[in-house]
Amino acid sequence: MLRFVTIWFPYLKTDWMTLQQKELSGKAFVLTQNDHGRKLITAASPQAVAQGIHNGMFAADALALLRGLEVRDDDTQSAEKLLKRLAHWCIRYTPTVMLDAPCGLILDASGCTHLWGNEENYVKDLTRRLQGFGFHVRAAIGDTIGVAWAITRFTKAQLIVPQGETMRALLPLPPAALRLDAYTVEQLEKLGLRSVKSFIGMPRMSLQRRFGEDCIRRINYALGHEQEIREAVHPPEPYQERLPCLEAIVTRTGIEIALEKLLGAMCTRLRAEGKGLRTSVFKGYRMDGKTVSLTIGTHKPSHNEKHLAHLFSFRIETLEPGPGIELFTLDAQKVEDAVPLQTQLWGGSPELADDRLSELLDRLNTRFGEGHVHRYIPDEHYWPERSVIAAQKISSRINAAWNTNRPRPLQLLAQPEQVEVTAPVPDYPPMNFRHKGTLHKIARAEGPERIEQEWWIQNGEHRDYYCVEDEEGKRYWLFRSGHYDATKKTGWFLHGYFA
């Protein structure tokens, strides 16, 4: 059953201004914006409202009515940012929070209220916490956004609209409670229709003909006959687990217990669906409004909670609980199908498909950071620096065969480094070479191996490669670029190390 909570901040801007400037506390003041050279009041403090000041008045008129009224400039952008910050804070109570500009929020509380015991405790705790920040707040809960919105703004005592009693709750309220535009409300009141019950039973065609299609839509929204679509501030992840805490958690042990419970629930769901996570974020929402988080990644889809908990444990000490964490969430941001390996009857090795290898790489990546462990696979190119490519994941398929008919160095330089070489001519191996100021006398050499340029990529000279070993037993991969030419200096390069 869907249940929605609407929150109304009747003095959002002035409350925030008071929090920023303590000297305004308890004073009558207004916020204004320029309107054709005149200052138009866009927000008034509770003390100013009590003296008859309201939005839409001009500041000059308000000053004539109330001496000593303070006038400040209104910053619309800061109010929008504030509402979004409050929406983000409300994620403690539900994963789905929506803006109801300019001074309200909407929470989809379906399936959440039982964590606070009942709906009344849920709404009261939410209201109490927001009031503690210094805001005037009203909130209500109902089957639809429309009825909760109406109760919030047009009643004083009621907080809960019981399930199935939407119509009864709306009947005594004025037409404005349906969120109708000012012109429609005025027309209804002129006809003597001053409450919802006086016209809601009329034929829909008659209402539509007289007051327009928007009037019918608003009635349908309030009664739940038509779904009201709103965009969440933070769309919930398809795979998310939440754990609210009765008491704020400040110890590592408490954090580890919360993580264990969330991973257990998440992995149970993933196993049932034949999936595993590749990227996961563990978040803690603190009492002071800040959010702390840890992120891990895996080489293969995994639903092994012990392995995932081990990955988080490398960084859990960096999670600062501050004054205490009141809500934990675990998001599986990237999920893939986890295909189980077939059990072999007579030994053999699953090689790269071995889960133990994948989990080892996960631990190395988590401990030392992303980018420290790579896998390279052959690519269909002759040029040595183009003949390998970094695999996107551990299970990437090899589409080309490794070149095994000729030796290749264990370490291949990304860019060949030029060296000075002494060599007989024309195609004899070098006798010695100088690299970074060090002279290497060659004891053994093998080659040449000619590798041509790939004409469909770029034009250039071929390379003649030699495997050489110096007197210290160190082996190198050298090449001469192009044919030997006695009229010019031949280019020699070091391209790799065998050991």
Side-chain angles (χ1 to χ4, degrees), residues 333-365:
Q333 294 185 331
K334 186 176 181 181
V335 173
E336 296 178 359
D337 292 337
V339 181
L341 296 175
Q342 180 178 349
T343 302
Q344 297 181 355
L345 296 179
W346 293 285
S349 172
E351 299 178 344
L352 293 175
D354 193 334
D355 286 340
R356 293 172 296 177
L357 173 60
S358 177
E359 292 175 358
L360 171 62
L361 296 178
D362 293 341
R363 293 195 294 271
L364 292 175
N365 258 354

mmCIF file of all heavy atoms in Angstrom, residues 333-365:
data_model
loop_
_atom_site.group_PDB
_atom_site.id
_atom_site.type_symbol
_atom_site.label_atom_id
_atom_site.label_comp_id
_atom_site.label_asym_id
_atom_site.label_seq_id
_atom_site.Cartn_x
_atom_site.Cartn_y
_atom_site.Cartn_z
ATOM 1 N N GLN A 333 25.953 -0.559 -7.258
ATOM 2 C CA GLN A 333 25.805 0.364 -8.380
ATOM 3 C C GLN A 333 25.982 -0.322 -9.728
ATOM 4 O O GLN A 333 25.422 0.111 -10.730
ATOM 5 C CB GLN A 333 26.806 1.513 -8.239
ATOM 6 C CG GLN A 333 26.537 2.409 -7.040
ATOM 7 C CD GLN A 333 27.455 3.598 -7.000
ATOM 8 O OE1 GLN A 333 28.592 3.553 -7.474
ATOM 9 N NE2 GLN A 333 26.993 4.688 -6.420
ATOM 10 N N LYS A 334 26.785 -1.376 -9.774
ATOM 11 C CA LYS A 334 26.985 -2.121 -11.015
ATOM 12 C C LYS A 334 26.788 -3.597 -10.730
ATOM 13 O O LYS A 334 27.488 -4.174 -9.897
ATOM 14 C CB LYS A 334 28.381 -1.860 -11.576
ATOM 15 C CG LYS A 334 28.614 -2.487 -12.948
ATOM 16 C CD LYS A 334 29.992 -2.118 -13.492
ATOM 17 C CE LYS A 334 30.217 -2.721 -14.867
ATOM 18 N NZ LYS A 334 31.573 -2.398 -15.396
ATOM 19 N N VAL A 335 25.812 -4.187 -11.403
ATOM 20 C CA VAL A 335 25.456 -5.592 -11.183
ATOM 21 C C VAL A 335 25.487 -6.322 -12.521
ATOM 22 O O VAL A 335 25.025 -5.789 -13.535
ATOM 23 C CB VAL A 335 24.055 -5.706 -10.542
ATOM 24 C CG1 VAL A 335 23.613 -7.153 -10.463
ATOM 25 C CG2 VAL A 335 24.057 -5.094 -9.154
ATOM 26 N N GLU A 336 26.051 -7.528 -12.520
ATOM 27 C CA GLU A 336 26.105 -8.344 -13.733
ATOM 28 C C GLU A 336 25.665 -9.766 -13.410
ATOM 29 O O GLU A 336 25.632 -10.174 -12.242
ATOM 30 C CB GLU A 336 27.519 -8.356 -14.312
ATOM 31 C CG GLU A 336 28.013 -7.003 -14.784
ATOM 32 C CD GLU A 336 29.444 -7.055 -15.302
ATOM 33 O OE1 GLU A 336 30.039 -8.164 -15.273
ATOM 34 O OE2 GLU A 336 29.962 -6.012 -15.737
ATOM 35 N N ASP A 337 25.337 -10.508 -14.468
ATOM 36 C CA ASP A 337 24.987 -11.922 -14.290
ATOM 37 C C ASP A 337 26.196 -12.682 -13.769
ATOM 38 O O ASP A 337 27.315 -12.523 -14.274
ATOM 39 C CB ASP A 337 24.534 -12.530 -15.618
ATOM 40 C CG ASP A 337 23.205 -11.963 -16.094
ATOM 41 O OD1 ASP A 337 22.456 -11.468 -15.243
ATOM 42 O OD2 ASP A 337 22.931 -12.007 -17.305
ATOM 43 N N ALA A 338 25.976 -13.506 -12.764
ATOM 44 C CA ALA A 338 27.032 -14.332 -12.186
ATOM 45 C C ALA A 338 26.797 -15.767 -12.628
ATOM 46 O O ALA A 338 25.932 -16.458 -12.088
ATOM 47 C CB ALA A 338 27.037 -14.225 -10.661
ATOM 48 N N VAL A 339 27.548 -16.209 -13.642
ATOM 49 C CA VAL A 339 27.363 -17.549 -14.197
ATOM 50 C C VAL A 339 28.188 -18.535 -13.388
ATOM 51 O O VAL A 339 29.412 -18.399 -13.297
ATOM 52 C CB VAL A 339 27.797 -17.599 -15.676
ATOM 53 C CG1 VAL A 339 27.580 -18.997 -16.238
ATOM 54 C CG2 VAL A 339 27.022 -16.561 -16.475
ATOM 55 N N PRO A 340 27.566 -19.543 -12.762
ATOM 56 C CA PRO A 340 28.326 -20.515 -11.964
ATOM 57 C C PRO A 340 29.185 -21.401 -12.861
ATOM 58 O O PRO A 340 28.796 -21.738 -13.982
ATOM 59 C CB PRO A 340 27.228 -21.333 -11.263
ATOM 60 C CG PRO A 340 26.030 -21.196 -12.144
ATOM 61 C CD PRO A 340 26.107 -19.837 -12.756
ATOM 62 N N LEU A 341 30.384 -21.724 -12.367
ATOM 63 C CA LEU A 341 31.273 -22.604 -13.118
ATOM 64 C C LEU A 341 30.815 -24.050 -13.006
ATOM 65 O O LEU A 341 30.339 -24.499 -11.966
ATOM 66 C CB LEU A 341 32.708 -22.494 -12.584
ATOM 67 C CG LEU A 341 33.378 -21.124 -12.735
ATOM 68 C CD1 LEU A 341 34.740 -21.142 -12.051
ATOM 69 C CD2 LEU A 341 33.520 -20.766 -14.200
ATOM 70 N N GLN A 342 30.979 -24.796 -14.101
ATOM 71 C CA GLN A 342 30.632 -26.218 -14.072
ATOM 72 C C GLN A 342 31.665 -26.992 -13.256
ATOM 73 O O GLN A 342 32.868 -26.782 -13.397
ATOM 74 C CB GLN A 342 30.594 -26.775 -15.499
ATOM 75 C CG GLN A 342 30.241 -28.269 -15.549
ATOM 76 C CD GLN A 342 30.163 -28.758 -16.975
ATOM 77 O OE1 GLN A 342 30.175 -27.963 -17.899
ATOM 78 N NE2 GLN A 342 30.085 -30.061 -17.138
ATOM 79 N N THR A 343 31.181 -27.858 -12.401
ATOM 80 C CA THR A 343 32.082 -28.672 -11.595
ATOM 81 C C THR A 343 32.745 -29.731 -12.464
ATOM 82 O O THR A 343 32.077 -30.445 -13.215
ATOM 83 C CB THR A 343 31.310 -29.359 -10.458
ATOM 84 O OG1 THR A 343 30.674 -28.348 -9.674
ATOM 85 C CG2 THR A 343 32.248 -30.160 -9.586
ATOM 86 N N GLN A 344 34.089 -29.854 -12.383
ATOM 87 C CA GLN A 344 34.810 -30.827 -13.194
ATOM 88 C C GLN A 344 34.978 -32.126 -12.418
ATOM 89 O O GLN A 344 35.215 -32.120 -11.219
ATOM 90 C CB GLN A 344 36.179 -30.274 -13.582
ATOM 91 C CG GLN A 344 36.080 -29.019 -14.452
ATOM 92 C CD GLN A 344 37.452 -28.516 -14.847
ATOM 93 O OE1 GLN A 344 38.466 -29.053 -14.391
ATOM 94 N NE2 GLN A 344 37.489 -27.499 -15.683
ATOM 95 N N LEU A 345 34.883 -33.240 -13.134
ATOM 96 C CA LEU A 345 34.989 -34.544 -12.493
ATOM 97 C C LEU A 345 36.436 -35.004 -12.361
ATOM 98 O O LEU A 345 36.787 -35.696 -11.420
ATOM 99 C CB LEU A 345 34.192 -35.584 -13.284
ATOM 100 C CG LEU A 345 32.673 -35.346 -13.346
ATOM 101 C CD1 LEU A 345 32.018 -36.430 -14.189
ATOM 102 C CD2 LEU A 345 32.079 -35.346 -11.954
ATOM 103 N N TRP A 346 37.274 -34.639 -13.347
ATOM 104 C CA TRP A 346 38.644 -35.150 -13.351
ATOM 105 C C TRP A 346 39.660 -34.019 -13.376
ATOM 106 O O TRP A 346 40.370 -33.795 -14.336
ATOM 107 C CB TRP A 346 38.860 -36.066 -14.558
ATOM 108 C CG TRP A 346 38.059 -37.311 -14.440
ATOM 109 C CD1 TRP A 346 38.293 -38.380 -13.634
ATOM 110 C CD2 TRP A 346 36.840 -37.590 -15.130
ATOM 111 N NE1 TRP A 346 37.314 -39.330 -13.773
ATOM 112 C CE2 TRP A 346 36.394 -38.871 -14.695
ATOM 113 C CE3 TRP A 346 36.073 -36.911 -16.058
ATOM 114 C CZ2 TRP A 346 35.238 -39.462 -15.163
ATOM 115 C CZ3 TRP A 346 34.926 -37.501 -16.537
ATOM 116 C CH2 TRP A 346 34.515 -38.769 -16.092
ATOM 117 N N GLY A 347 39.673 -33.246 -12.314
ATOM 118 C CA GLY A 347 40.708 -32.241 -12.126
ATOM 119 C C GLY A 347 40.645 -31.132 -13.151
ATOM 120 O O GLY A 347 39.583 -30.689 -13.573
ATOM 121 N N GLY A 348 41.831 -30.657 -13.588
ATOM 122 C CA GLY A 348 41.873 -29.526 -14.501
ATOM 123 C C GLY A 348 41.895 -28.223 -13.723
ATOM 124 O O GLY A 348 41.720 -28.193 -12.512
ATOM 125 N N SER A 349 42.125 -27.160 -14.429
ATOM 126 C CA SER A 349 42.184 -25.847 -13.792
ATOM 127 C C SER A 349 41.319 -24.858 -14.543
ATOM 128 O O SER A 349 41.380 -24.776 -15.765
ATOM 129 C CB SER A 349 43.634 -25.341 -13.772
ATOM 130 O OG SER A 349 43.679 -24.009 -13.331
ATOM 131 N N PRO A 350 40.481 -24.111 -13.843
ATOM 132 C CA PRO A 350 39.656 -23.111 -14.514
ATOM 133 C C PRO A 350 40.434 -21.857 -14.893
ATOM 134 O O PRO A 350 39.876 -20.949 -15.474
ATOM 135 C CB PRO A 350 38.584 -22.793 -13.466
ATOM 136 C CG PRO A 350 39.255 -23.063 -12.163
ATOM 137 C CD PRO A 350 40.200 -24.207 -12.411
ATOM 138 N N GLU A 351 41.754 -21.785 -14.572
ATOM 139 C CA GLU A 351 42.630 -20.690 -14.930
ATOM 140 C C GLU A 351 42.021 -19.338 -14.519
ATOM 141 O O GLU A 351 41.719 -19.125 -13.356
ATOM 142 C CB GLU A 351 42.961 -20.753 -16.425
ATOM 143 C CG GLU A 351 43.688 -22.045 -16.798
ATOM 144 C CD GLU A 351 43.973 -22.118 -18.285
ATOM 145 O OE1 GLU A 351 43.368 -21.360 -19.055
ATOM 146 O OE2 GLU A 351 44.822 -22.933 -18.672
ATOM 147 N N LEU A 352 41.823 -18.416 -15.486
ATOM 148 C CA LEU A 352 41.357 -17.079 -15.153
ATOM 149 C C LEU A 352 39.947 -17.062 -14.603
ATOM 150 O O LEU A 352 39.523 -16.095 -13.979
ATOM 151 C CB LEU A 352 41.436 -16.179 -16.390
ATOM 152 C CG LEU A 352 42.852 -15.869 -16.879
ATOM 153 C CD1 LEU A 352 42.795 -15.073 -18.165
ATOM 154 C CD2 LEU A 352 43.638 -15.106 -15.824
ATOM 155 N N ALA A 353 39.179 -18.141 -14.863
ATOM 156 C CA ALA A 353 37.816 -18.198 -14.343
ATOM 157 C C ALA A 353 37.779 -18.618 -12.877
ATOM 158 O O ALA A 353 36.701 -18.673 -12.283
ATOM 159 C CB ALA A 353 36.991 -19.171 -15.188
ATOM 160 N N ASP A 354 38.936 -18.909 -12.300
ATOM 161 C CA ASP A 354 38.998 -19.343 -10.904
ATOM 162 C C ASP A 354 38.592 -18.181 -9.991
ATOM 163 O O ASP A 354 39.190 -17.101 -10.026
ATOM 164 C CB ASP A 354 40.424 -19.801 -10.573
ATOM 165 C CG ASP A 354 40.486 -20.552 -9.252
ATOM 166 O OD1 ASP A 354 39.607 -20.306 -8.390
ATOM 167 O OD2 ASP A 354 41.393 -21.388 -9.087
ATOM 168 N N ASP A 355 37.572 -18.388 -9.172
ATOM 169 C CA ASP A 355 37.110 -17.346 -8.260
ATOM 170 C C ASP A 355 38.201 -16.922 -7.288
ATOM 171 O O ASP A 355 38.245 -15.758 -6.855
ATOM 172 C CB ASP A 355 35.883 -17.833 -7.478
ATOM 173 C CG ASP A 355 34.632 -17.858 -8.340
ATOM 174 O OD1 ASP A 355 34.631 -17.166 -9.380
ATOM 175 O OD2 ASP A 355 33.677 -18.564 -7.978
ATOM 176 N N ARG A 356 39.097 -17.837 -6.940
ATOM 177 C CA ARG A 356 40.157 -17.502 -5.995
ATOM 178 C C ARG A 356 41.105 -16.466 -6.586
ATOM 179 O O ARG A 356 41.569 -15.562 -5.886
ATOM 180 C CB ARG A 356 40.928 -18.762 -5.594
ATOM 181 C CG ARG A 356 40.098 -19.762 -4.783
ATOM 182 C CD ARG A 356 40.834 -21.058 -4.584
ATOM 183 N NE ARG A 356 41.061 -21.729 -5.867
ATOM 184 C CZ ARG A 356 41.739 -22.867 -6.003
ATOM 185 N NH1 ARG A 356 42.251 -23.459 -4.939
ATOM 186 N NH2 ARG A 356 41.900 -23.410 -7.188
ATOM 187 N N LEU A 357 41.411 -16.594 -7.877
ATOM 188 C CA LEU A 357 42.255 -15.599 -8.533
ATOM 189 C C LEU A 357 41.553 -14.244 -8.576
ATOM 190 O O LEU A 357 42.150 -13.207 -8.285
ATOM 191 C CB LEU A 357 42.594 -16.055 -9.956
ATOM 192 C CG LEU A 357 43.329 -15.035 -10.822
ATOM 193 C CD1 LEU A 357 44.663 -14.654 -10.192
ATOM 194 C CD2 LEU A 357 43.533 -15.565 -12.233
ATOM 195 N N SER A 358 40.280 -14.253 -8.933
ATOM 196 C CA SER A 358 39.523 -13.001 -8.996
ATOM 197 C C SER A 358 39.472 -12.319 -7.632
ATOM 198 O O SER A 358 39.644 -11.104 -7.521
ATOM 199 C CB SER A 358 38.107 -13.277 -9.509
ATOM 200 O OG SER A 358 37.338 -12.099 -9.525
ATOM 201 N N GLU A 359 39.256 -13.095 -6.574
ATOM 202 C CA GLU A 359 39.186 -12.517 -5.240
ATOM 203 C C GLU A 359 40.541 -11.999 -4.776
ATOM 204 O O GLU A 359 40.624 -10.983 -4.069
ATOM 205 C CB GLU A 359 38.634 -13.555 -4.264
ATOM 206 C CG GLU A 359 37.153 -13.888 -4.523
ATOM 207 C CD GLU A 359 36.631 -14.995 -3.633
ATOM 208 O OE1 GLU A 359 37.429 -15.535 -2.827
ATOM 209 O OE2 GLU A 359 35.437 -15.337 -3.742
ATOM 210 N N LEU A 360 41.630 -12.664 -5.200
ATOM 211 C CA LEU A 360 42.968 -12.159 -4.886
ATOM 212 C C LEU A 360 43.195 -10.806 -5.543
ATOM 213 O O LEU A 360 43.691 -9.859 -4.909
ATOM 214 C CB LEU A 360 44.029 -13.154 -5.347
ATOM 215 C CG LEU A 360 45.480 -12.660 -5.274
ATOM 216 C CD1 LEU A 360 45.876 -12.348 -3.837
ATOM 217 C CD2 LEU A 360 46.429 -13.670 -5.899
ATOM 218 N N LEU A 361 42.825 -10.681 -6.806
ATOM 219 C CA LEU A 361 42.981 -9.410 -7.510
ATOM 220 C C LEU A 361 42.121 -8.323 -6.871
ATOM 221 O O LEU A 361 42.527 -7.153 -6.806
ATOM 222 C CB LEU A 361 42.616 -9.585 -8.983
ATOM 223 C CG LEU A 361 43.515 -10.531 -9.791
ATOM 224 C CD1 LEU A 361 43.014 -10.646 -11.218
ATOM 225 C CD2 LEU A 361 44.958 -10.037 -9.782
ATOM 226 N N ASP A 362 40.914 -8.687 -6.419
ATOM 227 C CA ASP A 362 40.061 -7.709 -5.726
ATOM 228 C C ASP A 362 40.744 -7.172 -4.483
ATOM 229 O O ASP A 362 40.724 -5.966 -4.204
ATOM 230 C CB ASP A 362 38.725 -8.350 -5.341
ATOM 231 C CG ASP A 362 37.863 -8.698 -6.545
ATOM 232 O OD1 ASP A 362 38.123 -8.145 -7.616
ATOM 233 O OD2 ASP A 362 36.947 -9.519 -6.387
ATOM 234 N N ARG A 363 41.371 -8.071 -3.721
ATOM 235 C CA ARG A 363 42.038 -7.640 -2.483
ATOM 236 C C ARG A 363 43.234 -6.740 -2.795
ATOM 237 O O ARG A 363 43.470 -5.749 -2.106
ATOM 238 C CB ARG A 363 42.471 -8.859 -1.664
ATOM 239 C CG ARG A 363 41.310 -9.674 -1.097
ATOM 240 C CD ARG A 363 41.767 -10.644 -0.021
ATOM 241 N NE ARG A 363 42.626 -11.686 -0.563
ATOM 242 C CZ ARG A 363 42.179 -12.850 -1.052
ATOM 243 N NH1 ARG A 363 40.873 -13.096 -1.080
ATOM 244 N NH2 ARG A 363 43.013 -13.745 -1.507
ATOM 245 N N LEU A 364 43.986 -7.079 -3.841
ATOM 246 C CA LEU A 364 45.139 -6.251 -4.214
ATOM 247 C C LEU A 364 44.686 -4.866 -4.661
ATOM 248 O O LEU A 364 45.283 -3.852 -4.281
ATOM 249 C CB LEU A 364 45.929 -6.933 -5.342
ATOM 250 C CG LEU A 364 46.663 -8.226 -4.966
ATOM 251 C CD1 LEU A 364 47.284 -8.857 -6.198
ATOM 252 C CD2 LEU A 364 47.735 -7.955 -3.923
ATOM 253 N N ASN A 365 43.634 -4.831 -5.469
ATOM 254 C CA ASN A 365 43.119 -3.539 -5.946
ATOM 255 C C ASN A 365 42.599 -2.693 -4.799
ATOM 256 O O ASN A 365 42.783 -1.476 -4.774
ATOM 257 C CB ASN A 365 41.998 -3.770 -6.959
ATOM 258 C CG ASN A 365 42.481 -3.586 -8.385
ATOM 259 O OD1 ASN A 365 43.606 -3.182 -8.608
ATOM 260 N ND2 ASN A 365 41.645 -3.877 -9.343
#
